[in-house]
Amino acid sequence: MRKFGKRLGALALGAALAAGALLGAGKAEAAELLMFEDPGCIYCEKWRREIGPIYPRTREGQIAPIRFLPKSGPRPPGLNVGPIIYSPTFVLVERGQEIGRIVGYPGPQFFWGMLARNLERLPPSSFQLQSMGYPPPVYR
């Protein structure tokens, strides 16, 4: 019976996430993590190898889906972030406004710790999973 309950819970979560995606949970008004990068950046490539494959499946990735942007070049309309000097630079935005940033990538522990600090700055209303019945995460 426990296995059935776990499977049902996993199916419900998957259906909720899919419904959220279909209903526009990833729209510009939601939280988003922007990764500004340069071609050939070894630290960008390291992040893509170590974190990139798992990020979308994490709770953090559900709260703030990632979008990749070139460090140099025009910014998307409605995006209000400060200057980007180093690559990679991760900028957490909500409704196009910068909430926080992570400059560089020395490794996974640094990234996850800094991301947790930045996610704490988001107002509770920005957590997409909260509308699906899940409370916002608590980072310590």
Side-chain angles (χ1 to χ4, degrees), residues 24-91:
K27 288 185 180 175
E29 66 266 7
E32 185 175 33
L33 184 65
L34 307 175
M35 180 178 169
F36 291 91
E37 57 186 338
D38 278 323
C41 166
I42 61 170
Y43 297 103
C44 300
E45 292 170 13
K46 183 178 178 185
W47 184 92
R48 284 180 175 270
R49 273 191 322 273
E50 294 177 354
I51 306 293
I54 63 168
Y55 184 80
R57 296 188 309 249
T58 64
R59 188 152 189 184
E60 293 84 351
Q62 297 298 314
I63 294 166
I66 195 157
R67 181 167 36 144
F68 302 95
L69 297 170
K71 186 182 87 165
S72 305
R75 299 280 194 284
L79 185 61
N80 186 16
V81 299
I84 306 297
I85 299 169
Y86 301 103
S87 179
T89 295
F90 302 88
V91 180

Side-chain angles (χ1 to χ4, degrees), residues 67-136:
R67 181 167 36 144
F68 302 95
L69 297 170
K71 186 182 87 165
S72 305
R75 299 280 194 284
L79 185 61
N80 186 16
V81 299
I84 306 297
I85 299 169
Y86 301 103
S87 179
T89 295
F90 302 88
V91 180
L92 180 64
V93 297
E94 182 186 33
R95 297 185 176 138
Q97 299 296 312
E98 182 171 338
I99 302 296
R101 65 174 54 203
I102 304 166
V103 178
Y105 178 72
Q109 288 181 317
F110 172 83
F111 174 78
W112 292 116
M114 293 300 295
L115 182 59
R117 284 184 177 181
N118 283 306
L119 289 173
E120 287 175 347
R121 297 178 185 163
L122 287 172
S125 62
S126 69
F127 287 101
Q128 296 169 11
L129 293 179
Q130 190 174 18
S131 65
M132 295 178 211
Y134 292 87

